[in-house]
Amino acid sequence: MAPKTTKAAIKDSLANLSQDKFAEFVEQLLDRREPPKVRRSEVEGKSRLAVTNLLVSTFTESKAPQVVQEILRDIGCSDEADELGKPKGPILKVESLSFSAPVGNPMAGAVRAGNEHFVDKYQLELISRVSNVAPILDELLSEEAGVKGQGWISEVTV
């Protein structure tokens, strides 16, 4: 079973709330004192899916679950907060991964998981966790411009 994405876990937590509790959740979200702040116009009359997307885009995939758990506990929904904190399925955890790819052979020296290349083995999980592609593309374009004519990027750290 593939790991549940952050967005799917938050969506499921909000789906379990009654209409009243969801309205209370939205009010608590608007009343948060810590930045980033959410504007009323961004959540007023929005569906649970739209609020989920807003949470992930505003607070990032790594911080959104913590914000949601905090608000759920504040409105008396500790069971939903605890459920959101539980891992669903296998967890892909990469502390630090580094490999060199010499010019002319981009896959030489790549880290392998078993007999399969790490990226090939975990491709779907890695892709499913990307929520904001623009900064990645900007970085790749700037790196490509910096090494143009030198071959492949020599060091990649994940």
Side-chain angles (χ1 to χ4, degrees), residues 59-107:
F59 299 106
T60 72
E61 283 204 33
S62 61
K63 188 160 186 224
Q66 297 165 350
V67 171
V68 172
Q69 284 178 309
E70 173 188 306
I71 294 172
L72 288 171
R73 284 195 174 83
D74 288 347
I75 64 171
C77 296
S78 295
D79 290 343
E80 288 82 357
D82 293 342
E83 189 65 29
L84 179 59
K86 290 181 187 173
K88 308 284 191 233
I91 296 175
L92 172 63
K93 184 176 181 183
V94 179
E95 294 291 333
S96 177
L97 170 65
S98 178
F99 66 88
S100 292
V103 175
N105 188 357
M107 297 312 290

Side-chain angles (χ1 to χ4, degrees), residues 124-145:
L124 295 177
E125 289 89 347
L126 292 168
I127 291 169
S128 72
R129 291 172 184 243
V130 175
S131 62
N132 192 356
V133 178
I136 296 169
L137 293 174
D138 289 342
E139 181 67 25
L140 289 172
L141 286 172
S142 68
E143 284 183 20
E144 183 180 306

